[in-house]
Amino acid sequence: MSGPSRSATGEETIPFTFDGTTYHARQGDTLAAALLANGIGLVGRSFKYHRPRGIMTAGIEEPNALVTVGTGGRTEPNTRATDVFVYPGMVAKSQNRWPSLSFDVASIFGLAAPALGAGFYYKTFFGPAKHWMLYEGFIRRAAGLGNAPTEADPDNFSHKAGFCDVLVVGAGPAGLKAALAAAEAGKRVMLVEQDAVPGGSLLRDPDPAIDPAAMIERIKALGGEVLLRTTASGYWDHNFLTLTQRLVEPGAVPPQGFAQRLWHVRAGRVVLATGLIERPVPFANNDHPGVMLSQAVRSYVRRWGVLPGKRVVIATNNDDAYLTAEALVAAGAEVVALLDARAPGSGPTAPAGVQVFYDAKPAKVIGRKHALRKVTAVIGGSEHSFDADLLAVSGGFVPVAHLHMQAGGKLTWNEAAQAFIPGETPQACETVGAALNPPSAPAIAPAGKAKTSFVDFQNDVSLADIDLAWQEGYRSVEHLKRYTTLGMATDQGKTSNMVALSRLAEKQNLTVPEAGLTTFRPPFTPVTMGLMAGAGARHAGAHVRRIPLHSLHEVHDPIWQPLGYWFRPRAYPVNGETLQQAALREARTVRTVAGLSDVSTLGKFEVSGPGAAALLELVCATTVGKLAVGRGRYTFMCREDGFVNDDGTVWRLAENRYLLTSSTGGADRMAHFISYVRNSLRPDLRCSVVNVQEHYAGIALAGPKARAILASLIGAEPPRHMGYAPGVLAGVPVHVLAASYSGERAFEIHVEATHAAAVWQAIEHATRAEGGAPYGLEAMELLRIEKGHVVVGGEVDGRSTPHDLGLGGMLNKAGGFIGAAGLTRPALSAPNRNNLVGLVGLDGPIPEGGMLIQRAGQSPQGHVTAAARRILEGGAIALALLQGGHKRHGEELIVTSPTRGERARVRVTAPHFYDPAGERYRD
C-alpha cells in the first residue's frame, strides 16, 4: 500500500509501536485496522516458505497477521492482529522473520518450494540415528512462529463458575434477539461475545431497526449477564461450556491484577448464534498482501473508516460481495471490476460505475512485497488483467459449527451454499441466525498455478500439496490433514477446511459429504497456558479446599505447595532460608528432636458393620480380618490388573469398625474404588463406608522425643508402633495412631476438623519447648526417601506390582483381593521388570528423573523416581525403578539427564538408607 488509508481527523490519539516504529490509532481500532490505517500492508511471513503476508480478514479466523504483543513476562506470541484492540503504549512486532520483516533471509525457502511439498519431512529426515542430531538442530531453529516469553508472567488468571437457564453465544442480530426473548421470559441469561462491542454483522452492515446497545441494556435490566471479549472456547457434556474472557488486551497491564478469566458455565439451554466465516478463493499467489476477504474489506471501511485500497477488484460467487462494492464506492474507492463466477444475470444490480464480468474468476495476482499491483482474471475462458492495489474475494460462507460439533451435534450438507450446516444435537442446544442459513454460493473451479494457490495460508498448504497427498494414497480427510498439516495451525483451518474438502472431493470424483469432514475439538480459539494453570487460576479452577489448620500455618508464612485440591505447607523458612535450607533444617529437627506436620489431606474412610472386614479383604491386598482391636497395619490396594493403585494404613477401631487411610492425591480415586467394590461387586455385605477425609484433621508428630511429648499431652502412655488408642488432648477427643512415615517414632493424631486448632496449638507449643518445630512436605520427602517409603505418582506409577516394589511378602496368601488374579499373569513375574532400588551417589548429586544406563549410548534400563541428600550424614541418595533391580545390588551405573546436561555415577543398593531394621520407631 502506498500510504495512509484513513483520513486524519484528530482522533488518532493512541500511540503504539510496530516493529519499533511509533504509529497512532483511534479508540476501538484493532491492531489490524490501525496498521491498515497507517498504510502497513506487510505484517508477517508464512510458516514454511516465509512468503510475505498481509491482513486477510477482520476476525478470529485470521491466518496471516500473527504478531507478538507485549514485552517481558507479558509477551504473547501468535496473537491475531485482527483480534487485539490497540491500547496506549502497545508494543507489537512481526514474527517468523530475520533480520527484518521486509528482508527475510529465510524467504529463500520459497525457491525450494518444489522440494518442500506435502510430507517432505517424512521423506527427508531419515537414515542412521546419528544424523538425527543434525536434523534436530535445524528443525528446532526452523520450527514455530513467535517466540515464547522467557520471563515469568507477572499477572494472575482467574477462574469462575457460572450458572444460567440460557447461554447465548454471539451478540449479533440473532443472538441479541434470542437473549432478549429469553430474558423477557424470565430466564437467567448469559450472553457472550468475543468482540469488544456487541452487534456482530451489524457493525459491518447496520440495520436501523436493531439497536444493539439498547438491547444489551434491556437484557441487563432484566437480570441478564453480558460478557464481552469472551469466547466460548469449549462445549462439553451436560451443557457444560468453558468461556475465555479477556479482562485486558494481550500485553496490557491489568488494573486488578487479573489478565484473563476462565468461566465454567452450566447452562439449561444453549443458543449458538455464531455466524459465518467467509471462504477464500484459490488462485495463484492468493496469499499476497492486498488480497482480502470481501466482508473484511467492508468491515474496515464501515466500522473503522479504513480504506484498504483505492483501486479494487472484487471476485465473488455470491450476492454479498455486491454490498462490498457499494461500501467501497461510497468511501471513494474505484471498483475497477466485479468478477462474478456465476452466469450472466445471476447477481443483484451493481453500484453505478462498477463493471460486472460474469463467468469470471481470478487466476493470479502480482505485486511488491507490501502491496498488490495487478490482478489477472479468466473471463469467459480468456485472460484479462486489471491494475489494482486490492482484491476482495468471496468464495461463499462456512457456518461456524465448531461448538455444535463439540456438543456432539451432526452436520448436514447444504448444496446451494456448498457448506455443512448444523443438524441434530444430543444436548439442549440450538443454532440460530446466519449459521443455520448461509447464502447460496456455487462452487468455483480454481484457476491458476496450483503450487502457489494456497488453501491453508498459515502452514503454506497449497492445492498442489493436496493433489500430491491424494496421489500418494492419502484419500481419507483425516490422513490428508496430518500428512499435509492442513488445518493444524493456530487458526485450526477456519478458512481452509472447506476449500480443501472441495479439492479432495474433486480428485476422487465424489461429493463433498462423501469425501468426509474433520472433527472440531476444543478450544475454538487458542487459550493461553497461563489461563489454564497460571498464578491465580489454581485458586478457583477446581474446588480448592483449605485445610482446617490453614490460618495457623499462614502465621508462619510458609511456602505453599498445591497438592490435589489442596494447598499444604511445603516448608517454613526462617531468617531468609531457601526452600532447600528450610527443608533440611526441618528434617534434621525430626531426626534429632521432634517435628509436627499437617496430614489432614490424607484420604480417610470409616468402614463399619458385620461385613466391614470382608469388604476390606477385597479392597486391601494385605490381610485385614485378623487384626486385633486397637491394631493397624500398612496396606496397599491393587487395580484389577494387579498393579498397585494406592497405599495407606488400615486400623481396627472396634470389633466391626475400621479406619482406612490412603494418599492425598488418590483420595478421590479410592472413594470411587471402594464405592465400586461395595455397590457393584459385593452389594450383599452388611457394612457402610463413609468418606471422612474432611471430617477429621490429621497431625503427625515424629521424632525421638515424640512419644514423651505426646504422653505429656494426653496424660497416658501412647500406643506402641502400629497401635491405636482413643485419647483426649487439649480437652478434645482424639484418635491416636502410632504409624511412622519418617523412620522415627511417630504418631498421627486425628481430631474432628472443627476442634483441630486447639490440638495443633497444644502439640506445637510442647514440641517447640523441646526444641522441635513444624515441618513441611519438602522435609517429609527427604525423610521418606531416606527411609525408602514409596509414594503414589513416583514409585507407584500405575505400572508397578507389589513384587516390583518389594511388597510381595505382604500380600494376602489366601488371595481373594482385587488384583489377585491379575498378579498371576506370567508377564508380571518377568525377571526384567522394573524393580524398586536405592541409589548412592559416587560423585555428586543424582539428577531426579534421570535415566539409568550402564554406559554412554546405551538404551535406558530404568529411571530415578526421587532424589535427595542424606539428612545427617550428607551424600546423595535416590530411589529408582531399574530393570531386574532386585538382583543388581552393588552394580555401578550412570544416571544421565540429557535435557539438563547432568550425569552422575551411582551404586545400586537396597531402597532403605536409614534404620533398615526399623528399630527407631519401635518401643
Side-chain angles (χ1 to χ4, degrees):
M1 302 176 71
S2 57
S5 298
R6 179 168 63 190
S7 299
T9 62
E11 298 177 73
E12 294 78 11
T13 59
I14 303 177
F16 72 98
T17 64
F18 180 69
D19 280 347
T21 301
T22 299
Y23 302 96
H24 289 82
R26 293 179 184 174
Q27 184 67 36
D29 277 354
T30 62
L31 178 59
L35 291 174
L36 288 171
N38 283 277
I40 308 299
L42 176 65
V43 296
R45 293 280 178 167
S46 67
F47 174 64
K48 187 161 65 174
Y49 302 136
H50 287 247
R51 290 171 64 92
R53 293 286 165 82
I55 294 162
M56 178 180 174
T57 76
I60 52 89
E61 69 272 23
E62 176 61 42
N64 292 337
L66 299 182
V67 297
T68 296
V69 177
T71 59
R74 292 191 174 93
T75 300
E76 189 168 314
N78 300 333
T79 300
R80 298 173 296 280
T82 53
D83 190 35
V84 56
F85 289 85
V86 179
Y87 53 85
M90 171 188 275
V91 176
K93 62 180 181 180
S94 57
Q95 52 189 37
N96 197 40
R97 81 290 186 274
W98 184 86
S100 69
L101 180 60
S102 182
F103 179 72
D104 181 12
V105 170
S107 62
I108 194 173
F109 288 137
L111 301 177
L116 300 177
F120 78 93
Y121 29 80
Y122 297 123
K123 309 164 190 173
T124 306
F125 301 115
F126 60 89
K130 64 182 180 181
H131 290 176
W132 176 250
M133 299 307 292
L134 174 65
Y135 299 151
E136 183 183 30
F138 171 79
I139 291 171
R140 286 188 181 277
R141 285 191 294 272
L145 291 167
N147 295 319
T150 57
E151 298 179 26
D153 193 329
D155 299 329
N156 287 330
F157 297 83
S158 167
H159 287 208
K160 189 173 183 179
F163 302 88
C164 61
D165 297 319
V166 180
L167 172 65
V168 181
V169 180
L176 288 169
K177 291 176 183 177
L180 182 56
E184 290 177 336
K187 304 295 185 181
R188 293 179 301 166
V189 174
M190 287 185 71
L191 173 63
V192 301
E193 168 57 50
Q194 62 197 8
D195 207 332
V197 290
S201 62
L202 297 170
L203 301 174
R204 176 184 69 242
D205 301 314
D207 184 344
I210 303 176
D211 184 346
M215 295 177 77
I216 289 294
E217 288 305 313
R218 176 64 175 158
I219 292 169
K220 290 181 178 179
L222 293 169
E225 185 166 13
V226 179
L227 301 177
L228 300 178
R229 291 303 277 148
T230 303
T231 303
S233 53
Y235 197 143
W236 315 87
D237 293 340
H238 310 297
N239 266 20
F240 172 65
L241 288 88
T242 47
L243 315 177
T244 302
Q245 182 182 19
R246 284 182 173 172
L247 302 177
V248 294
E249 294 301 310
V253 179
Q256 305 299 324
F258 290 96
Q260 296 183 30
R261 176 173 293 135
L262 182 66
W263 285 80
H264 301 250
V265 178
R266 295 279 183 184
R269 184 168 67 91
V270 176
V271 178
L272 300 176
T274 45
L276 304 166
I277 289 176
E278 199 162 20
R279 188 186 308 171
V281 176
F283 55 88
N285 298 328
N286 62 335
D287 62 328
H288 200 284
V291 178
M292 299 177 65
L293 294 181
S294 169
Q295 285 192 347
V297 171
R298 199 154 81 242
S299 293
Y300 288 114
V301 170
R302 289 180 171 170
R303 178 176 177 181
W304 290 292
V306 175
L307 193 59
K310 296 180 175 63
R311 286 180 56 83
V312 187
V313 173
I314 299 174
T316 184
N317 64 348
N318 61 80
D319 293 351
D320 185 84
Y322 285 74
L323 298 177
T324 301
E326 292 178 4
L328 286 166
V329 171
E334 178 186 0
V335 179
V336 297
L338 197 159
L339 310 174
D340 194 326
R342 297 171 295 182
S346 300
T349 302
V354 175
Q355 186 173 5
V356 179
F357 298 89
Y358 290 100
D359 188 21
K361 55 192 174 185
K364 70 175 180 179
V365 298
I366 58 175
R368 299 180 303 275
K369 255 179 282 198
H370 296 263
L372 206 62
R373 284 170 41 194
K374 183 176 291 187
V375 177
T376 300
V378 176
I379 303 175
S382 302
E383 284 196 357
H384 298 263
S385 295
F386 304 91
D387 291 333
D389 60 1
L390 174 66
L391 172 59
V393 300
S394 179
F397 299 89
V398 180
V400 180
H402 301 66
L403 295 174
H404 172 83
M405 287 196 72
Q406 291 174 22
K410 304 297 183 183
L411 298 181
T412 59
W413 178 249
N414 184 314
E415 183 65 27
Q418 288 290 294
F420 288 100
I421 64 173
E424 297 180 353
T425 176
Q427 302 202 49
C429 165
E430 65 172 319
T431 300
V432 298
L436 203 58
N437 300 289
S440 296
I444 301 178
K449 187 178 178 182
K451 186 59 184 176
T452 56
S453 296
F454 288 93
V455 178
D456 187 315
F457 296 87
Q458 198 170 128
N459 275 354
D460 280 330
V461 180
S462 66
L463 290 177
D465 293 320
I466 295 174
D467 296 346
L468 178 62
W470 180 86
Q471 180 181 343
E472 295 184 348
Y474 294 93
R475 310 295 168 86
S476 163
V477 64
E478 294 290 357
H479 293 162
L480 172 77
K481 172 180 177 178
R482 285 154 181 81
Y483 189 65
T484 63
T485 70
L486 175 81
M488 295 174 66
T490 62
D491 66 335
Q492 288 291 286
K494 288 180 175 61
T495 58
S496 63
N497 278 346
M498 285 309 304
V499 178
L501 287 175
S502 298
R503 184 68 167 196
L504 182 63
E506 175 192 341
K507 297 296 292 184
Q508 300 189 72
N509 197 27
L510 300 173
T511 64
V512 173
E514 290 173 331
L517 182 67
T518 57
T519 301
F520 297 126
R521 298 183 177 89
F524 173 61
T525 54
V527 176
T528 65
M529 296 300 291
L531 184 62
M532 307 297 286
R538 60 178 180 268
H539 292 296
H543 297 294
V544 175
R545 303 172 184 169
R546 292 192 184 277
I547 51 181
L549 301 169
H550 183 91
S551 59
L552 294 182
H553 296 304
E554 275 194 324
V555 172
H556 302 296
D557 194 22
I559 298 173
W560 291 99
Q561 170 77 37
L563 200 67
Y565 296 114
W566 310 86
F567 282 82
R568 293 176 61 183
R570 189 175 182 185
Y572 302 86
V574 295
N575 300 326
E577 288 177 321
T578 64
L579 170 64
Q580 291 73 22
Q581 291 169 338
L584 185 58
R585 171 184 53 78
E586 292 167 11
R588 285 174 173 168
T589 300
V590 174
R591 284 277 182 259
T592 57
V593 187
L596 71 160
S597 183
D598 192 331
V599 294
S600 300
T601 59
L602 289 175
K604 297 180 281 289
F605 305 90
E606 280 201 12
V607 185
S608 305
L615 179 72
L616 289 171
E617 290 275 351
L618 269 175
V619 171
C620 301
T622 61
T623 57
V624 174
K626 296 180 180 179
L627 275 177
V629 174
R631 297 296 296 166
R633 70 171 305 160
Y634 171 78
T635 190
F636 49 90
M637 290 65 75
C638 293
R639 302 193 308 241
E640 291 177 319
D641 56 9
F643 293 104
V644 177
N645 189 30
D646 208 333
D647 71 340
T649 57
V650 60
W651 307 83
R652 193 166 194 170
L653 309 183
E655 182 64 27
N656 291 323
R657 183 185 175 203
Y658 293 81
L659 177 67
L660 175 68
T661 70
S662 69
S663 66
T664 294
D668 284 355
R669 182 173 64 247
M670 281 305 301
H672 287 289
F673 180 62
I674 296 172
S675 176
Y676 162 68
V677 176
R678 170 68 181 84
N679 297 316
S680 299
L681 300 185
R682 291 300 305 271
D684 57 304
L685 290 177
R686 295 173 56 206
C687 65
S688 69
V689 180
V690 180
N691 187 340
V692 292
Q693 182 185 30
E694 295 182 66
H695 178 71
Y696 289 117
I699 303 165
L701 177 62
K705 295 187 176 182
R707 186 196 62 79
I709 292 171
L710 184 59
S712 68
L713 291 170
I714 63 175
E717 186 65 22
R720 59 191 177 91
H721 182 62
M722 296 313 295
Y724 157 77
V728 176
L729 199 160
V732 179
V734 297
H735 296 287
V736 180
L737 314 177
S740 177
Y741 191 65
S742 61
E744 303 294 338
R745 188 74 161 95
F747 305 89
E748 290 179 12
I749 298 95
H750 293 270
V751 55
E752 288 188 15
T754 53
H755 303 296
V759 175
W760 172 274
Q761 289 170 327
I763 298 175
E764 181 182 6
H765 178 77
T767 302
R768 289 189 182 277
E770 294 291 336
Y775 65 100
L777 292 173
E778 198 72 14
M780 193 181 296
E781 181 75 355
L782 298 179
L783 293 162
R784 77 98 185 167
I785 292 172
E786 196 171 57
K787 184 58 182 172
H789 286 307
V790 299
V791 68
V792 175
E795 296 73 39
V796 181
D797 62 357
R799 299 172 294 177
S800 301
T801 69
H803 300 288
D804 296 336
L805 300 175
L807 303 174
M810 298 178 63
L811 287 169
N812 188 339
K813 302 300 188 293
F817 56 89
I818 303 295
L823 284 171
T824 63
R825 292 179 293 164
L828 298 193
S829 301
N832 64 338
R833 288 191 55 78
N834 281 351
N835 300 150
L836 179 65
V837 297
L839 303 175
V840 174
L842 301 178
D843 54 7
I846 301 173
E848 191 165 78
M851 298 293 106
L852 289 164
I853 58 175
Q854 287 183 314
R855 57 185 178 275
Q858 186 186 50
S859 297
Q861 298 182 9
H863 66 279
V864 177
T865 59
R869 58 158 292 168
R870 295 295 297 267
I871 295 170
L872 298 179
E873 299 88 343
I877 56 174
L879 299 177
L881 292 171
L882 174 66
Q883 292 177 5
H886 289 160
K887 296 182 179 180
R888 298 177 65 175
H889 292 185
E891 280 191 34
E892 291 191 8
L893 300 174
I894 298 171
V895 178
T896 177
S897 177
T899 58
R900 288 175 288 177
E902 299 174 358
R903 60 185 288 142
R905 292 188 308 113
V906 296
R907 179 178 294 111
V908 180
T909 69
H912 310 293
F913 305 98
Y914 183 78
D915 187 26
E919 296 174 351
R920 291 185 64 84
Y921 54 69
R922 290 191 174 90
D923 296 318

